């Protein structure tokens, strides 16, 4: 009967257990012929028991404790007077001993891979006295290995790469499997390798696990990846051995074994002649089955009639050849171009030169299409000159443009007024002649840069632009004048012939040979006795004194008219007045003060007098302020109102109006009070019973109610008003509520007061106070007059 794999393993375990037990019987204690052991004084007694190490098989699967071995001492007579004890690693927990017989058993399943051996100590004791009858001895229990662990690839799964087209036997990667069994015992840890998947492309060394190529000329472009399954088996690969597997992914890396090839032998592209320079005309690409640097190419034009008109470059990302324009195209000049373009690999592998040239050629034909182009000027920039004295309508120059198309459409000209806002120039629409339209001034604008537009008559949308720079030539039309505003001073102690000012002139004109100015005094100032002028002949002049003894109190300011002439043709002149102030100067000639008053005041008043005058003025001002403050103090009111805040409130209105009879300036109805409650106030100088024509006052309801009602009333009026605008509008009303808390400040209602004061003396003041006398007189006939 043929045993299966499982039955065979069980058979081996039983056989190994039998061999172990037969060996352990030899490890039992051998009797010694020496005397029994005892401890007395310094007498040394030979040990009475000796044993070897024990062996026990791992992975015992039985239900009963596994017998390990037996301990026995020569002292033991078999009468039960001796007992055996066990200590050390695993004592009591894994290993137990029969204290009567000395038999050792293992109570748990043991695994050599967890712990290969255990060190224990045994001792024989007198059962009655519990004293050792022999010295304690140490022994070892070794765990005997069985093949219970399969090989494992701790680093798997693996990935590796090998260049395509590699020769047979090229090393790819090494795999390693480990077996946890005892490598020193049997073949349980001896591993051999084999390939289960990946043949016939790869092979593996049985002992080393090195994977190698097994076929030549493996092409990445045909298949770039392979999945291998590698097996590791112990027991030297024999039947019954345990095995483990791992996967290895092998990728073929690229080499430059494919030359570039154009898919077509010729290409044709149409481009408009208006395409700008540097525009892309076409993209072509040679196919290369390689990848990465092996597929990098370069393109170049090797022949054709468009070498200077076009260029080809490479797109680094797509490896395409980009054809661009280097010069402007002109359909009327040339209608087509032919290019011979080569594509070649940049990195060629010499090993594969036999596969053919790593370059390819193609033909590209470019057809130029005609487009309606705008007119073209004969010059990109026209330079013209005109005198600023030119009259309106003077011809400055001519521009010319033509239609470059075959139709040669007529051209009309105009000026872009955005470049000639002041409309200084005109242009003839047919001839392109530019003329002046206004008087020119070089000093305002020396150069005019204008743009001329040329439009096709048949297609006005086609507009060409030409640029004209018109330079204005100068004429002598500006008189010279002082270069700056001079502040000239002369010291009172100045000596005759002393220089007090150096002057120069400017002229807005720009003569070709530069300016030349001539300075002199006017005819009426030529014979003055104070100052003279010297022309320095370098466009400057010097003002000098003719005398001394200048005094501020006599004359503090002198005016010197100076005549300036330029060298233009015709020459222009102007008279400029130099103001000279007389000043008090220090010893170095530096002006200290130039006011005549400052010189006169110290002669009449001293500094102390001036201080006294200022003090008096300040004192008077303080007194005036005090008087005004006292007079403005508010008098105690005649009518007392405890609820009113008694203070002086002055409201100023700057609207002067039209007087009492002006009823059109304001809508008096807008100032009316709503929901008023009349109340009377008492006078302090009159008893409450004698109230006569007392002044009416008002108590209003809360202001928010008043204003709400007022606004609501105005809103209803606006809603029904047929003249109101049909959209949202802002209505403004001058409603002030129930009036001021302080009431009116007017004295016109004073007639309502009933005072005991006698105002009869007003009648004695004359007719101008007659009205007041009638209002405040005591006679009954004056009450309502």
């Amino acid at each position: 009967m043929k045993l299966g794999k499982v039955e065979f393993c069980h058979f081996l375990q039983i056989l190994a257990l039998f061999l172990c037990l037969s060996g352990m019987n030899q490890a039992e204690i051998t009797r010694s012929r020496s005397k029994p052991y005892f401890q007395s004084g310094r007498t040394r007694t030979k040990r009475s028991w000796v044993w070897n190490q024990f062996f026990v098989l791992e992975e015992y699967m039985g239900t009963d404790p596994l017998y390990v071995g037996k301990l026995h001492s020569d002292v033991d007579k078999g009468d039960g007077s001796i007992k055996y004890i066990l200590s050390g690693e695993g004592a009591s927990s894994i290993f137990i001993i029969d204290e009567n017989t000395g038999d050792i058993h293992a109570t748990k399943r043991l695994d050599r891979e967890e712990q290969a051996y255990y060190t224990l100590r045994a001792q024989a004791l007198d059962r009655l006295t519990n004293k050792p009858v022999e010295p304690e001895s140490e022994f070892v229990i070794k765990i005997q290995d069985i093949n219970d662990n399969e090989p494992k690839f701790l680093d798997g799964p693996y990935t590796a790469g090998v260049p395509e087209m590699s020769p047979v036997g090229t090393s790819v990667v090494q795999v390693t499997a480990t077996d946890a069994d005892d490598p020193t015992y049997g073949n349980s840890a001896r591993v051999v390798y084999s390939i289960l998947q990946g043949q016939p492309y790869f092979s593996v060394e049985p002992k080393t696990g090195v994977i190698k190529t097994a076929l030549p000329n493996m092409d990445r472009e045909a298949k770039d990846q392979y999945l291998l399954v590698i097996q590791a088996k112990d027991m030297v690969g024999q039947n019954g051995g345990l095995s483990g597997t791992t996967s290895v992914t092998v990728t073929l890396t690229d080499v430059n074994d494919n030359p570039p090839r154009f898919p077509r032998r010729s290409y044709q592209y149409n481009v408009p002649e208006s395409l700008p320079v540097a525009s892309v005309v076409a993209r072509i690409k040679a196919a290369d089955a390689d990848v990465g640097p092996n597929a990098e190419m370069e393109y170049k034009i090797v022949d054709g009639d468009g070498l200077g008109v076009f260029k080809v470059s490479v797109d680094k990302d797509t490896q395409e050849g980009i054809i661009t324009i280097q010069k402007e195209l002109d359909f009327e000049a040339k209608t087509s171009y032919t290019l011979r373009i080569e594509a070649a690999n940049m990195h060629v592998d010499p090993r594969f030169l036999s596969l053919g040239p790593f370059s390819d050629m193609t033909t590209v034909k470019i057809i130029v299409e005609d487009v309606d182009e705008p007119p073209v000027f004969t010059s990109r920039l026209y330079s013209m000159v005109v005198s600023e004295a030119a009259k309106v309508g003077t011809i400055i120059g001519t521009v010319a443009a033509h239609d470059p198309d075959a139709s040669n459409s007529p051209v009309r000209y105009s000026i872009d007024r955005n470049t000639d806002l002041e409309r200084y120039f005109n242009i003839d629409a047919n001839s392109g002649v530019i003329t002046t339209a206004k008087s020119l001034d070089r000093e305002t604008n020396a150069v005019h840069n204008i743009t001329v537009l040329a439009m096709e008559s048949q297609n006005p949308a086609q507009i060409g632009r030409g640029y004209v720079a018109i330079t204005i030539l100068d004429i002598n039309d500006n008189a010279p004048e002082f270069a700056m505003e001079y502040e000239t001073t002369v010291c009172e102690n100045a000596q005759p012939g002393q220089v007090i000012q150096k002057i120069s002139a400017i002229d807005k004109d720009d003569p070709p040979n530069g300016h030349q100015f001539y300075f002199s005094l006017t005819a009426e100032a030529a014979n003055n006795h104070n100052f003279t002028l010297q022309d320095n002949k370098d466009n400057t002049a010097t003002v000098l004194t003719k005398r001394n003894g200048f005094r501020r109190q006599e004359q503090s300011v002198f005016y010197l008219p100076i005549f300036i002439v330029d060298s233009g043709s015709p020459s222009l002149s102007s008279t400029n007045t130099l103001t000279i102030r007389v000043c008090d100067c220090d010893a170095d000639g530096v002006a200290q003060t130039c006011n005549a008053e400052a010189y006169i005041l110290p002669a009449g008043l001293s500094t102390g007098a001036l201080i006294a005058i200022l003090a008096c003025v300040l004192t008077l001002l303080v007194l005036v302020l005090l008087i005004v403050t006292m007079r403005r103090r508010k008098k105690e009111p005649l009518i007392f109102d405890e609820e009113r805040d008694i203070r002086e409130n002055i409201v100023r209105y700057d609207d002067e109006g039209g007087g009492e009879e002006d009823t059109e300036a304001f809508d008096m109805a807008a100032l009316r009070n709503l929901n008023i409650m009349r109340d009377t106030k008492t006078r302090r100088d009159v008893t409450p019973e004698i109230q006569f024509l007392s002044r009416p006052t008002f108590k209003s309801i809360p202001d928010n109610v008043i204003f709400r009602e007022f606004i609501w009333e105005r809103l209803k009026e606006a809603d029904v008003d047929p003249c109101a605008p049909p959209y949202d509008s802002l209505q403004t009303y001058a409603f002030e509520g129930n009036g001021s808390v302080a009431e009116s400040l007017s004295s016109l209602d004073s007639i309502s007061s009933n005072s005991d004061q006698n105002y009869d003396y007003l009648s004695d003041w004359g007719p101008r106070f007659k009205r007041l006398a009638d209002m405040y007189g005591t006679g009954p006939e004056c009450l309502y007059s």
Side-chain angles (χ1 to χ4, degrees):
M1 184 178 65
K2 189 175 181 179
L3 294 178
K5 182 177 180 180
V6 177
E7 291 81 357
F8 183 75
C9 291
H10 289 170
F11 173 76
L12 291 177
Q13 290 178 356
I14 294 173
L15 180 62
L17 181 63
F18 173 78
L19 293 175
C20 180
L21 293 177
S22 61
M24 290 178 188
N25 292 333
Q26 299 177 0
E28 293 184 355
I29 298 175
T30 58
R31 291 184 177 275
S32 174
R33 290 178 172 81
S34 61
K35 295 182 179 181
Y37 167 79
F38 63 91
Q39 293 179 342
S40 60
R42 297 182 178 178
T43 304
R44 180 182 179 188
T45 305
K46 184 179 178 180
R47 198 173 73 182
S48 301
W49 57 329
V50 177
W51 61 87
N52 296 326
Q53 60 185 2
F54 294 116
F55 293 90
V56 60
L57 196 66
E58 68 170 336
E59 302 293 345
Y60 172 69
M61 305 297 293
T63 57
D64 297 330
L66 177 63
Y67 181 74
V68 178
K70 184 180 180 65
L71 299 181
H72 187 73
S73 174
D74 292 341
V75 182
D76 188 1
K77 304 300 183 180
D79 54 2
S81 61
I82 301 300
K83 69 175 181 179
Y84 299 93
I85 60 174
L86 195 65
S87 61
E89 292 180 312
S92 301
S93 59
I94 299 176
F95 302 101
I96 59 175
I97 187 170
D98 189 329
E99 65 178 11
N100 296 318
T101 63
D103 292 334
I104 301 174
H105 292 80
T107 60
K108 294 183 179 180
R109 186 178 65 178
L110 301 177
D111 187 357
R112 190 202 65 84
E113 286 71 35
E114 293 182 1
Q115 187 166 346
Y117 63 91
Y118 295 85
T119 301
L120 295 95
R121 293 179 298 279
Q123 194 168 32
L125 303 177
D126 187 280
R127 188 179 297 276
L128 297 178
T129 62
N130 207 29
K131 292 182 178 180
V133 296
E134 289 186 0
E136 184 180 60
S137 297
E138 186 177 84
F139 65 96
V140 175
I141 298 177
K142 286 190 174 181
I143 310 302
Q144 192 171 6
D145 183 49
I146 65 173
N147 189 18
D148 59 341
N149 291 277
E150 72 277 4
K152 294 182 178 180
F153 292 91
L154 301 181
D155 297 329
Y158 295 84
T159 58
V162 63
E164 63 173 333
M165 311 299 289
S166 296
V168 175
T170 301
S171 178
V172 178
V173 68
Q174 183 177 16
V175 297
T176 303
T178 58
D179 196 319
D181 293 325
D182 189 358
T184 64
Y185 180 76
N187 296 325
S188 299
R190 296 181 62 184
V191 177
V192 294
Y193 300 94
S194 61
I195 183 168
L196 301 182
Q197 177 180 323
Q199 295 174 332
Y201 306 102
F202 299 93
S203 63
V204 63
E205 288 285 341
K207 294 183 179 181
T208 62
V210 175
I211 300 174
K212 299 181 179 180
T213 58
L215 284 181
N217 301 326
M218 286 191 291
D219 191 1
R220 184 198 66 83
E221 288 73 32
K223 185 178 181 180
D224 63 346
Q225 199 171 78
Y226 297 85
L227 180 63
L228 282 61
V229 177
I230 306 298
Q231 182 189 65
K233 190 173 184 180
D234 58 13
M235 299 298 293
V236 200
Q238 298 176 1
N239 292 335
L242 303 180
S243 64
T245 60
T246 187
S247 63
V248 181
T249 302
V250 179
T251 302
L252 297 183
T253 58
D254 186 55
V255 297
N256 192 7
D257 59 339
N258 293 279
R261 292 291 179 264
F262 283 105
R264 297 166 54 183
R265 305 317 302 170
S266 64
Y267 298 86
Q268 180 174 314
Y269 299 97
N270 294 354
V271 296
E273 64 173 333
S274 60
L275 203 63
V277 174
S279 298
V280 176
V281 174
R283 287 175 174 263
I284 59 175
K285 184 176 182 180
D288 192 330
D290 296 321
V291 294
N294 297 318
E296 292 182 357
M297 287 176 282
E298 59 181 354
Y299 297 85
K300 60 182 178 180
I301 301 175
V302 296
D303 195 7
D305 56 359
L307 288 173
V309 181
F310 302 93
K311 73 172 183 178
V312 62
S313 58
V314 63
D315 187 329
K316 298 296 184 182
D317 297 327
T318 63
Q319 297 302 317
E320 292 178 307
I322 305 173
I323 303 174
T324 55
I325 301 176
Q326 279 188 303
K327 294 182 179 180
E328 292 183 352
L329 303 178
D330 187 0
F331 173 82
E332 288 72 26
K334 191 173 181 59
T335 59
S336 66
Y337 297 88
T338 301
L339 307 175
R340 289 283 292 169
I341 297 179
E342 179 188 60
N345 278 139
M346 298 180 63
H347 310 286
V348 178
D349 193 333
R351 296 177 298 171
F352 305 105
L353 290 177
S354 60
L355 299 178
F358 282 78
S359 63
D360 197 16
M361 301 278 291
T362 189
T363 301
V364 178
K365 186 174 184 180
I366 298 174
I367 306 298
V368 180
E369 297 178 342
D370 186 25
V371 296
D372 191 3
E373 299 176 273
V376 177
F377 283 88
T378 56
S379 176
R380 295 181 60 88
L381 176 64
Y382 295 89
S383 297
M384 302 178 184
V385 294
V386 62
S387 173
E388 65 175 325
K391 297 180 180 180
V392 174
T394 301
I395 296 176
I396 303 174
T398 304
V399 296
H402 69 280
D403 183 6
D405 298 320
S407 60
N408 194 17
S409 175
V411 175
R412 294 183 61 84
Y413 303 94
S414 64
I415 294 177
D416 184 356
R417 291 304 176 184
N418 291 324
T419 60
D420 185 25
L421 297 175
E422 300 295 332
R423 296 181 176 267
Y424 285 109
F425 307 99
N426 287 329
I427 187 170
D428 187 274
N430 297 316
S431 64
V433 174
I434 300 175
T435 58
T436 58
K438 294 173 63 175
S439 298
L440 304 175
D441 185 7
R442 189 204 65 83
E443 288 71 35
T444 302
N445 192 355
V447 178
H448 294 265
N449 293 300
I450 63 174
T451 301
V452 177
L453 306 178
M455 295 176 289
E456 291 185 13
S457 299
Q458 298 178 0
N459 186 6
Q462 294 297 332
I463 301 175
R465 286 175 169 78
Y467 303 97
V468 182
I470 302 175
T471 302
I472 310 302
L473 299 180
D474 185 47
I475 63 171
N476 191 24
D477 58 346
N478 291 277
E481 58 186 12
F482 278 159
M484 57 181 294
E485 291 290 336
Y486 294 101
E487 296 181 359
T488 307
T489 60
V490 60
C491 295
E492 291 182 318
N493 57 359
Q495 300 299 318
Q498 182 176 336
V499 177
I500 61 171
Q501 183 68 60
K502 186 177 183 180
I503 61 174
S504 61
I506 58 174
D507 193 329
K508 294 180 180 179
D509 295 322
D510 187 17
N513 299 323
H515 290 289
Q516 181 63 49
F517 301 118
Y518 304 96
F519 300 87
S520 63
L521 295 178
T522 60
E524 62 271 15
N527 298 321
N528 77 90
H529 303 287
N530 301 309
F531 305 99
T532 185
L533 181 70
Q534 177 183 336
D535 193 340
N536 298 325
K537 307 300 182 181
D538 60 354
N539 290 338
T540 63
T542 304
V543 180
L544 304 95
T545 58
K546 294 178 68 175
R547 66 178 180 87
N548 57 5
F550 294 97
R551 297 183 62 82
R552 283 176 293 164
Q553 63 273 24
E554 295 177 357
Q555 185 174 352
S556 61
V557 179
F558 293 89
Y559 299 99
L560 186 65
I562 299 176
F563 187 70
I564 308 175
V565 183
D566 62 17
S567 58
S569 178
S571 61
L572 297 179
S573 62
S574 67
T575 300
N576 298 263
T577 301
L578 182 67
T579 302
I580 305 173
R581 296 183 179 276
V582 180
C583 299
D584 179 25
C585 302
D586 57 13
D588 296 328
V590 178
Q592 300 298 316
T593 178
C594 299
N595 296 328
E597 293 80 3
Y599 183 82
I600 295 171
L601 283 175
L605 295 174
S606 63
T607 303
L610 290 175
I611 295 175
I613 292 172
L614 290 175
C616 292
V617 171
L618 290 176
T619 304
L620 290 174
L621 288 175
V622 172
L623 291 175
V624 170
L625 290 175
L626 289 176
I627 293 172
V628 172
T629 303
M630 295 294 293
R631 293 175 70 93
R632 287 190 176 183
R633 292 182 58 186
K634 188 176 181 181
K635 297 181 180 180
E636 185 177 7
L638 297 177
I639 302 175
F640 62 92
D641 187 356
E642 296 180 353
E643 297 178 359
R644 185 173 61 188
D645 185 13
I646 300 175
R647 68 181 70 174
E648 184 174 44
N649 296 309
I650 299 176
V651 181
R652 178 178 177 180
Y653 298 94
D654 292 332
D655 193 333
E656 297 181 358
E660 295 180 357
E661 296 180 359
D662 184 4
T663 59
E664 301 296 331
F666 299 94
D667 184 8
M668 304 303 292
L671 300 175
R672 74 181 187 277
N673 294 326
L674 303 177
N675 303 322
I676 59 175
M677 296 174 62
R678 298 183 179 275
D679 192 10
T680 58
K681 299 293 181 179
T682 59
R683 293 278 303 258
R684 294 192 179 190
D685 55 342
V686 182
T687 58
E689 292 79 12
I690 315 179
Q691 296 180 3
F692 181 73
L693 293 177
S694 61
R695 177 182 175 181
T697 59
F698 309 103
K699 286 186 178 179
S700 64
I701 62 177
D703 285 345
N704 57 349
V705 178
I706 295 171
F707 286 99
R708 190 183 306 114
E709 291 181 0
F710 178 80
I711 294 172
W712 179 250
E713 204 170 301
R714 291 295 180 269
L715 180 60
K716 290 191 293 183
E717 291 177 1
D719 289 340
V720 300
D721 187 4
C723 299
Y727 47 82
D728 292 343
S729 60
L730 177 65
Q731 302 288 341
T732 305
Y733 302 104
F735 177 57
E736 298 182 357
N738 285 337
S740 172
V741 177
E743 300 178 358
S744 175
L745 298 177
S746 174
S747 62
L748 297 179
D749 58 353
S750 300
I751 59 174
S752 63
S753 64
N754 187 12
S755 176
D756 293 337
Q757 186 173 355
N758 189 359
Y759 297 98
D760 292 341
Y761 60 89
L762 294 174
S763 301
D764 300 333
W765 288 6
R768 298 182 62 182
F769 296 91
K770 183 177 182 303
R771 179 64 177 171
L772 290 177
D774 294 339
M775 292 175 60
Y776 291 91
T778 56
E781 69 278 6
C782 298
L783 289 176
Y784 297 100
S785 59

